[in-house]
Amino acid sequence: MAGQKILVIDDSKVIRVRVREMLPQGNFEVLEAKDGEEGLKLIRQARPNLIMLDFLLPKVSGWEVYQKVQAHAELSKIPLVIMSGREEEVMEKIPKPFEKHFFAFIAKPFEKKQLTEAIKSAMVLAKKKPVPEAAAASSSGAGAADIQAMTLKMAKMQAEIDALKKQMSQVIAIIKQKLK
């Protein structure tokens, strides 16, 4: 009987099978979802011990799955590993260091050792994560969810501001060059 449930949400069957094959036999029950919509349903129904989430998914994106999980006090305690072949796509939405957001990141393609390290890191980070219920106890549960949603929006806005600053510097450099 498997002790831990790991949910792998990835549109690539190759990745889902690869994760299953890399984990020690008999220790884990690996659940699979091929898109974000199916993944959210399994998260709510199965309450996995770990979520491995691809960031680029059909139907409901990995970013949307991440936001929904983080906005739910109980689900946000589940250790999370975000997987992507394009780290810059993740950084557009969630600025580094990823550890401050309490999830591990693994770049695709990955080897067994990297997978093991990411899972261990996600487990440690999940234990360090502040308990959302403490905030909910002092105010309403909706208030804590609102704060978390606003925090995510602020992080996204900061990433957009940083991108705009970079573009503005490029425009200024071009204008200075033309004025010479």
Side-chain angles (χ1 to χ4, degrees), residues 38-56:
E38 192 177 310
L40 280 170
K41 188 186 298 182
L42 275 171
I43 290 168
R44 290 185 187 107
Q45 290 173 355
R47 302 291 175 157
N49 301 94
L50 175 81
I51 301 167
M52 296 197 61
L53 175 64
D54 183 15
F55 211 66
L56 303 173

Side-chain angles (χ1 to χ4, degrees), residues 52-71:
M52 296 197 61
L53 175 64
D54 183 15
F55 211 66
L56 303 173
L57 292 169
K59 294 187 181 179
V60 177
S61 73
W63 167 240
E64 292 171 294
V65 171
Y66 171 80
Q67 287 180 303
K68 288 180 183 187
V69 167
Q70 296 308 308

Side-chain angles (χ1 to χ4, degrees), residues 30-108:
V30 180
L31 308 171
E32 297 179 22
K34 64 184 178 300
D35 59 57
E37 188 177 293
E38 192 177 310
L40 280 170
K41 188 186 298 182
L42 275 171
I43 290 168
R44 290 185 187 107
Q45 290 173 355
R47 302 291 175 157
N49 301 94
L50 175 81
I51 301 167
M52 296 197 61
L53 175 64
D54 183 15
F55 211 66
L56 303 173
L57 292 169
K59 294 187 181 179
V60 177
S61 73
W63 167 240
E64 292 171 294
V65 171
Y66 171 80
Q67 287 180 303
K68 288 180 183 187
V69 167
Q70 296 308 308
H72 190 282
E74 181 100 5
L75 301 179
S76 70
K77 292 188 268 181
I78 300 171
L80 176 66
V81 176
I82 291 184
M83 306 179 289
S84 181
R86 299 169 69 187
E87 187 175 353
E88 64 277 1
E89 297 256 346
V90 178
M91 287 177 15
E92 281 179 16
K93 306 281 188 201
I94 310 168
K96 276 186 151 182
F98 297 136
E99 295 80 20
K100 78 175 186 175
H101 301 284
F102 304 98
F103 69 84
F105 175 82
I106 188 169
K108 293 194 235 174

